[in-house]
Structure formats: structure tokens, C-alpha cells
Amino acid sequence: MNQPANDMKDGMEAMAFMNGRPTKFGLIALTMFVFCMLPLTAAGAQRPAAHLVLIDPAHGGEDSGVFSDKLHEKDLTLNLAILIRQEAQKMTGLQVQLTRSSDRRMTIAERIKAVGTTKADCLISLHVNAGFGKKATGYEIYFPGFQQEVSGGKDSSPIIKDMTRNKSLNDSVRLAQQIQSGLETVLPRKGRGLREAPSPLLDAMNIPGLVVEIGFATNPDDLKKLTGPKTQKAIANAVVKGLQNYFSSLP
Ligand SMILES: [Zn+2]
């Protein structure tokens, strides 16, 4: 367009320009769009609005938990936790952190502290079951017990505390149901049900929490499944789906 040689060329170039306009406009629009989206993308990277789930691989370090020559509970729980974190990374709106991401011993107090420091929305503690002979099989999901609730006091703070606690207990049951629906797809008819039980970890928290005993190391069929990478990945996937359904079902 610098030095048009004739009208014809001028005209062609004008047409080219006109034809180019939508593209240029497109580019400008795209650039503006990208610029507009930048803060969102940057914020999205930190995912401040994402639901944060703390996955707690039980045991660790010199505390192996249940173990045999084929399985160490501390290793399986860590492996599953890492897989759950990986699966969650593929999702939007869900962020997973682990109480431990290496083979180290952690006290219950340290795990409880992690709930506070991460400001997690909920926690799932992963375990492997053992015992009751070789026949016992399937996963179990424990949520904290309601019966431990003590209301009262002269000022309102214990009542408010109880209300918060009751909400998290109700949400723990919802979470348990969603995780159960997820796990049923991987380990059908293997659920030994939802169980209310006292747990030093769950009882100390003011957020919804579960203990999931993913299967029995003492049952040959469970052991075979749990040590298989395919089932492990499917379990991780099921847990993440359960978490997503839980968060979307919240009132
Ligand atoms: Zn355990």
C-alpha cells in the first residue's frame, strides 16, 4: 500500500485491505480477549475459587501400617493419594493437596495441623484394612460420629461451634455417599457400607472428613486388585468423581 502503481492495484489492495479487515479485527479482538483473560488465567493457575481437598495417605516412615510381602499400607496409600492428585489436576475447580507426599512418619497431630494450614474444604484419609480372616473383603467408609456431640454452655460460642461441627458432620455423610457411589463403579458390591465411628483425626476437625479403608490386604482377591496399577488408577478416578459430585451437590 505504500506506493500504489495504478488504480487497479490500488483497488485490489483496497479490497485486500477490506478483506483483511475482518482478520485484523479478529486479531485485535483475539488480542483483547487474551488480555482480558490473562488475569483470569493467572488466577486460574492458583485456583483460589477451587475446592481444596486434603488427601491423607495414612501411616508412613517406620509406621508401615498393614504389610505383607506384597503390600505395605503406607506405600499403597501414598500411591493412591498421588494418583488422586494427578486425576484432580485434570479437573477444573478441584485442587488436591497431600498431608505427606513422601515416605515419612506423621503423627495424628501433624495431620490435624495440616488441615488448619491448608484451609482444606474436606479431608479423606486413606487406609488398607486387614483381619477377620481371609474372607473379609471390600472397602469401608467411615465418617465421624454424631454421638460425640456435646451441646450447651452459657455463652453462644460452644453452640456456634456445635452448629459448625454438625454441618461438617452432615457434609461428611454426603461426602461418604458420593465417594461410595464412585467406588461402586470400580469395586462393585465390595462396599461394606458406610460406618459411623470415632476417629482421633476426624473428630479433631471442623471440616467434613472420611476414613476410607480401600480393601483388605488379607483377602487374596482384594490384594490382587489393590496392587494392580489399573485398579489403582480407577480408584483414584472414582474418588475424584465422587469429590466433584459432592461439591456440586452442596446446597
Ligand atoms: Zn491404616
Side-chain angles (χ1 to χ4, degrees):
M1 280 266 287
N2 289 343
Q3 286 176 315
N6 53 45
D7 287 343
M8 176 82 167
K9 197 182 171 196
D10 222 348
M12 281 175 72
E13 286 194 351
M15 275 176 72
F17 174 68
M18 280 176 76
N19 286 340
R21 270 182 86 167
T23 318
K24 280 183 186 172
F25 262 106
L27 269 176
I28 290 163
L30 183 68
T31 312
M32 281 172 72
F33 177 73
V34 167
F35 266 101
C36 289
M37 289 303 285
L38 267 178
L40 281 178
T41 314
Q46 297 166 2
R47 291 200 250 177
H51 296 290
L52 177 61
V53 179
L54 196 56
I55 300 288
D56 173 47
H59 311 283
E62 58 268 40
D63 170 19
S64 277
V66 172
F67 70 96
S68 66
D69 53 340
K70 287 192 181 129
L71 181 147
H72 281 233
E73 183 179 0
K74 62 168 185 175
D75 296 331
L76 179 63
T77 57
L78 179 58
N79 212 16
L80 280 176
I82 290 168
L83 287 171
I84 291 169
R85 184 171 61 184
Q86 276 174 10
E87 286 300 308
Q89 273 165 358
K90 297 176 195 167
M91 310 291 168
T92 49
L94 193 63
Q95 199 185 354
V96 165
Q97 285 188 30
L98 312 185
T99 50
R100 67 175 178 95
S101 49
S102 61
D103 182 18
R104 67 182 181 95
R105 197 166 198 274
M106 270 188 100
T107 63
I108 296 291
E110 285 171 321
R111 293 173 204 261
I112 293 165
K113 202 176 161 193
V115 172
T117 46
T118 54
K119 295 190 169 59
D121 294 304
C122 66
L123 172 139
I124 297 177
S125 187
L126 299 169
H127 283 261
V128 177
N129 237 332
F132 310 107
K134 281 186 178 179
K135 281 190 176 169
T137 174
Y139 65 87
E140 289 175 348
I141 302 175
Y142 292 88
F143 52 86
F146 285 84
Q147 75 276 12
Q148 302 210 346
E149 283 320 287
V150 185
S151 317
K154 278 175 190 166
D155 65 277
S156 62
S157 60
I159 296 167
I160 290 165
K161 217 174 167 186
D162 275 1
M163 282 166 70
T164 314
R165 176 84 180 132
N166 275 329
K167 190 194 175 298
S168 76
L169 289 174
N170 284 323
D171 286 346
S172 295
V173 179
R174 283 177 218 265
L175 179 61
Q177 288 164 339
Q178 294 295 350
I179 297 297
Q180 184 184 36
S181 314
L183 286 177
E184 278 300 316
T185 61
V186 188
L187 309 162
R189 295 182 303 280
K190 285 279 189 167
R192 288 164 58 93
L194 307 179
R195 294 161 181 235
E196 183 180 329
S199 146
L201 174 59
L202 301 184
D203 293 339
M205 307 184 320
N206 261 333
I207 59 165
L210 305 176
V211 166
V212 178
E213 299 270 3
I214 202 70
F216 280 80
T218 37
N219 176 274
D221 187 40
D222 277 14
L223 184 64
K224 201 178 163 195
K225 277 191 172 171
L226 295 179
T227 48
K230 214 175 145 189
T231 307
Q232 287 180 11
K233 188 139 189 247
I235 289 170
N237 214 319
V239 170
V240 168
K241 282 204 178 109
L243 284 166
Q244 277 194 313
N245 289 338
Y246 162 70
F247 285 117
S248 59
S249 75
L250 283 182

